[in-house]
Each structure stands twice: as C-alpha cells, then as structure tokens.
Amino acid sequence: MNRKRGLISDAFISKRKKAVTERFGLSDVEGTYMKQIYQLVLRFVRLIYHVGVSYDTQIVLKHQLYSLVSDKTMVDKGVNKLREQGDLLMFQLGFDSEAFGLVFASDYKAKVLAAQDGCDTQETVQKFLDKVLTSCTDLSFSKDQMLHNFLFSDAEITQLVKSGVLTVRDAGSWWLSIPNSGKFTKYFIQGRKAVLNMIKKSKYNEVLKVDLEDRKTPSQVKFHMKYHIHDIVGAELVESIPTTSGTLLRYVDD
C-alpha cells in the first residue's frame, strides 16, 4: 500500500473514532452498539482508501455490515439511529433494489458543496442540504413533499436534479442520490462479477477466504479484495462456511 495513502487513512480513522467516542458514552449500551456500527462503516471506508483510487464519495453498502454482524436487525437498528442523529445518510443504489449505500453526512455535504462552488445551482443545493437533509431521513421524495413540505419550486427541483443530489425515481418522485457516483458503481459491479468468477472457476466452486484474499486480482478489481468479499458474503451471493482450515466461500447457484 502506498505509504502516503496509508497515513491519510490512519489520520482519517483516528479523527472519526475520536468523534464517535465523544458522542457515545461507553456506559450507554445503545450508544456503545452504535459506536460499533459506526466503526464498522469506517472499516469499509478504509478499504476504499486502501486501493489508492480516488472517488468523490466513499460508499459503504449496508449489507457489507451483515458479513460481520449476523444479527441484521441490530445492524439496521444501529444504522437507523445514526441516520436519525445525522451522522449517516443512506441511498438506494440503482443497480440493485436491495443495495443501500451508506455515506457519512458530513463528507457528503462537504463534497456536494465543493462541487457546487460557482455553479448556478449552488444556492438551491445549499437550501436542500440545510432544510431537507437535516430534518428528514427519507430515501425518496414526492413532488407534494418538495413543493409543500420543503417549499421548493418546480424550477428548484429541476436544479437539484441537475446538480445530482436528486435523481428521478418515477413521475413525480425522486431518489436522494450521490452526485458523480457512476465511477464507483461501475467499478463495484465489475469487481463483484470478477470476484464471483474467481470462486466459480475454483474446484467445486469454492475457495478458502484467506486464499482468495492472497490471490492476484484481475484488472477489473479496483477495490480491496476484502471489500468485495464482505459484499458477496453480506449479499448472500456465496455461502460462508467455517472449517478447520478457515472460512470457506462457496458460490451459490441462482
């Protein structure tokens, strides 16, 4: 790993850990659990930094957390609490109806505003971040909500779509979205396919997790191998089987 990249990652993680420790008291059971979920999200963010490829936004998929915490209800509860407190934002990712991306709210807002600097949509986007994201955890918004609850005009809604913070869901409704996330989605999908193919080409369609992590990755895999392994395990695209030799990953036929 590039040394400079490593130092950036360590500083990033230390800062986040300090912030969440101050926010959640360890004597508070619920707070402690949220702290654990928060740190799991950090863990996956670090895997993206580790790759050495630059992305506008660091996206963690919620189901990746399921690969580390078997109780999905507890994961969902922790994630939702962090969303309610304004620490995390969640997005429905267009390539899969069951894929939900998690992004740190502070990072999202900072990068969205930086991209809007000098644009004619800047004022409207700032209004959206201040009025909507600070008070609402919805993944999508209807026209009635935007016009009457949040007091945006039709022209302003068009500006929000233009800026990329909203994307069309269907006639009269929009998803909250991550601007310029196409590069991430492209690399994520092609990486997932490549890793699954590596398993399918193994004997009996299975491979030890440690062996897969050590393999030379094809050019299609841009993220850290562990990032993709947590994806395919959490999405239940492979079975994760404990053995005396370590965890065995077995491809699941459709």
Side-chain angles (χ1 to χ4, degrees), residues 235-249:
E236 299 181 346
L237 299 175
V238 297
E239 292 181 88
S240 182
I241 305 167
T243 74
T244 55
S245 300
T247 301
L248 184 72
L249 302 178

Side-chain angles (χ1 to χ4, degrees), residues 8-223:
I8 292 173
S9 299
D10 291 341
F12 178 83
I13 297 300
S14 297
K15 182 178 179 181
R16 291 291 192 184
K17 283 184 177 180
K18 181 180 179 181
V20 76
T21 299
E22 291 174 350
R23 180 183 290 272
F24 303 129
L26 291 178
S27 60
D28 183 336
V29 175
E30 184 179 45
T32 300
Y33 185 76
M34 285 191 292
K35 177 174 179 286
Q36 292 171 347
I37 295 297
Y38 198 105
Q39 290 177 334
L40 285 179
V41 176
L42 286 176
R43 178 173 176 174
F44 288 112
V45 167
R46 188 172 191 177
L47 289 180
I48 301 179
Y49 274 111
H50 181 79
V51 182
V53 180
S54 176
Y55 298 95
D56 289 335
T57 306
Q58 311 305 322
I59 304 170
V60 175
L61 282 88
K62 187 174 72 167
H63 66 253
Q64 287 176 314
L65 304 179
Y66 299 156
S67 69
L68 294 174
V69 182
S70 59
D71 190 335
K72 295 181 181 180
T73 300
M74 291 296 287
V75 171
D76 291 347
K77 181 179 179 181
V79 167
N80 288 337
K81 193 68 176 179
L82 289 167
R83 291 174 61 212
E84 290 169 6
Q85 293 188 169
D87 291 297
L88 288 179
L89 296 175
M90 190 162 79
F91 305 81
Q92 205 289 321
L93 302 179
F95 61 86
D96 187 335
S97 62
E98 297 300 317
F100 296 95
L102 300 174
V103 174
F104 286 114
S106 57
D107 291 347
Y108 179 84
K109 293 174 183 178
K111 289 172 183 178
V112 165
L113 287 176
Q116 287 296 307
D117 188 33
C119 297
D120 58 0
T121 54
Q122 182 176 6
E123 184 177 345
T124 302
V125 170
Q126 180 71 69
K127 175 183 174 182
F128 178 79
L129 297 179
D130 292 341
K131 179 171 286 191
V132 180
L133 290 194
T134 56
S135 63
C136 183
T137 59
D138 291 352
L139 299 183
S140 65
F141 309 95
S142 67
K143 186 170 184 177
D144 184 69
Q145 275 182 294
M146 294 299 292
L147 293 177
H148 301 112
N149 293 17
F150 301 122
L151 304 179
F152 284 87
S153 66
D154 285 324
E156 287 176 320
I157 294 172
T158 299
Q159 288 186 323
L160 293 174
V161 174
K162 178 182 177 181
S163 70
V165 297
L166 291 181
T167 188
V168 175
R169 178 179 182 179
D170 51 37
S173 68
W174 301 267
W175 291 110
L176 177 65
S177 64
I178 304 170
N180 304 314
S181 59
K183 184 179 179 182
F184 171 89
T185 300
K186 174 185 174 182
Y187 286 161
F188 176 82
I189 293 174
Q190 72 181 29
R192 172 191 273 189
K193 290 180 179 178
V195 173
L196 287 174
N197 282 334
M198 291 171 71
I199 298 175
K200 286 192 286 185
K201 290 178 180 179
S202 300
K203 190 175 182 180
Y204 304 123
N205 291 344
E206 59 188 31
V207 63
L208 286 172
K209 177 173 171 285
V210 65
D211 290 342
L212 184 60
E213 290 174 349
D214 290 339
R215 284 189 186 180
K216 181 179 180 180
T217 56
S219 60
Q220 299 96 320
V221 179
K222 305 296 184 183
F223 300 159

